Structures are given as structure tokens and as C-alpha cells.
């Protein structure tokens, strides 16, 4: 069942989220799922697309960007990458909410970041050197043009 935190996140109402935090009412709600298995963080990413709400939920309440929804099995990171939300993806990466292990493992998160994301996010990953760093960790450079 949806809570006031879900609705505030869904509509991008950062001032309501901050009020709930200030009144110590949000912490017990942050991981609660609404009827479709989505947390407030999922809703802050889609449909709200609110970086400010995402920051409050993650930094103030400890929301997990890699938590998958019960019904659809997708995380907030996956949704942000799939929807081309560059600033939210940058936030997850730059603030360490997505680790190298998260990117390297064959997960839905990796799929979204490396295959489904739009050109802005792919460009960001390339400019920031993520692809070469992933290859260095693996000690090889994948060759997608030839069969193994």
C-alpha cells in the first residue's frame, strides 16, 4: 500500500519528503513497497524524474538504488538508465551507489547501463573512463566483432 512518502516521491515533492525526514516519520517508510512492489526511490526516478528527491531518499534515509521491485524485478538504477535520466545515473555512479562489482556482474543493472541506456549515458560512461576501467579489471578488451 502506498504511503505519503510514496506519493511525495512520485510527484517530486522534495519539500514533503524533507518534512517527513525532519519529523522522523520517513525512515520507517523508505523501504516499504506499494502495491506494485515499488519503493519511494523507484517512484522518485519514474515517474517523478526528480534528482532532488532521489538525493534525499538515498542520502538522508539510506534508500538502496539496487533494490529490485517485487513485481517487475528492476532497480532504481536500471530504471534511470533505461529512461535516459543522465543526471540521476551520474549521481548513482559518482556518489558510489553503484560499484564496479555491480556493473561487472551480469545483472539487470549492467544490462541497462551498457545496453539499454541512451547515447548521453553511454557517452558519459565512456568519457568518465568506465569502459576502459571495466576492461582493466577483467584484464581483456572484449571484441564484439568476432566469434570466440
Amino acid at each position: 500500500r502506498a504511503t505519503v512518502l510514496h506519493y511525495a516521491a512520485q510527484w517530486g515533492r522534495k519539500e514533503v519528503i524533507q518534512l517527513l525526514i525532519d519529523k522522523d516519520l520517513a525512515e520507517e517508510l523508505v523501504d516499504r513497497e506499494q502495491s506494485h512492489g515499488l519503493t519511494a526511490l523507484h517512484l522518485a526516478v519514474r515517474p517523478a524524474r526528480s534528482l532532488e528527491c532521489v538525493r534525499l531518499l538515498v542520502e538522508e534515509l539510506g534508500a538502496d538504488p539496487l533494490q529490485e521491485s517485487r513485481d517487475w524485478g528492476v532497480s532504481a538504477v536500471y530504471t534511470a538508465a533505461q529512461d535516459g535520466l543522465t543526471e540521476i545515473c551520474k549521481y548513482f555512479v559518482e556518489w558510489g551507489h553503484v560499484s564496479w562489482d555491480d556493473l561487472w556482474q551480469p545483472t539487470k543493472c549492467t544490462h541497462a547501463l551498457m545496453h539499454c541506456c541512451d547515447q548521453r549515458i553511454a557517452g558519459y560512461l565512456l568519457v568518465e573512463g568506465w569502459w576502459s576501467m571495466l576492461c582493466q579489471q577483467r584484464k581483456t578488451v572484449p571484441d564484439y566483432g568476432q566469434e570466440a
Side-chain angles (χ1 to χ4, degrees):
R1 216 163 107 142
T3 67
V4 66
L5 185 62
H6 287 98
Y7 289 117
Q10 178 176 345
W11 293 103
R13 301 296 304 269
K14 66 181 180 188
E15 67 281 358
V16 174
I17 295 172
Q18 187 62 60
L19 179 65
L20 292 170
I21 292 168
D22 293 344
K23 299 288 184 183
D24 293 325
L25 299 172
E27 194 168 329
E28 66 185 53
L29 304 176
V30 71
D31 292 325
R32 194 173 292 178
E33 297 175 342
Q34 45 85 294
S35 60
H36 296 291
L38 300 174
T39 65
L41 183 59
H42 287 102
L43 297 171
V45 172
R46 180 197 295 157
R49 300 173 180 247
S50 172
L51 178 58
E52 294 83 11
C53 291
V54 166
R55 282 185 176 162
L56 282 172
L57 292 167
V58 172
E59 294 174 20
E60 298 286 331
L61 297 171
D64 180 4
L66 295 172
Q67 179 181 340
E68 294 185 352
S69 64
R70 182 185 65 241
D71 289 1
W72 296 314
V74 296
S75 68
V77 172
Y78 178 92
T79 303
Q82 187 179 44
D83 287 3
L85 305 177
T86 308
E87 293 305 312
I88 293 175
C89 287
K90 282 182 180 181
Y91 168 75
F92 286 144
V93 170
E94 290 172 358
W95 287 88
H97 302 299
V98 179
S99 71
W100 290 117
D101 290 337
D102 297 327
L103 287 174
W104 188 245
Q105 298 301 321
T107 63
K108 291 181 179 102
C109 174
T110 308
H111 179 264
L113 286 171
M114 302 309 281
H115 300 289
C116 292
C117 64
D118 72 6
Q119 291 177 346
R120 291 170 296 178
I121 295 169
Y124 167 75
L125 293 173
L126 289 172
V127 167
E128 293 299 315
W130 278 63
W131 182 251
S132 62
M133 293 174 96
L134 284 172
C135 294
Q136 286 174 358
Q137 277 196 333
R138 189 173 176 213
K139 306 275 191 267
T140 61
V141 176
D143 184 357
Y144 293 110
Q146 299 177 5
E147 292 183 20

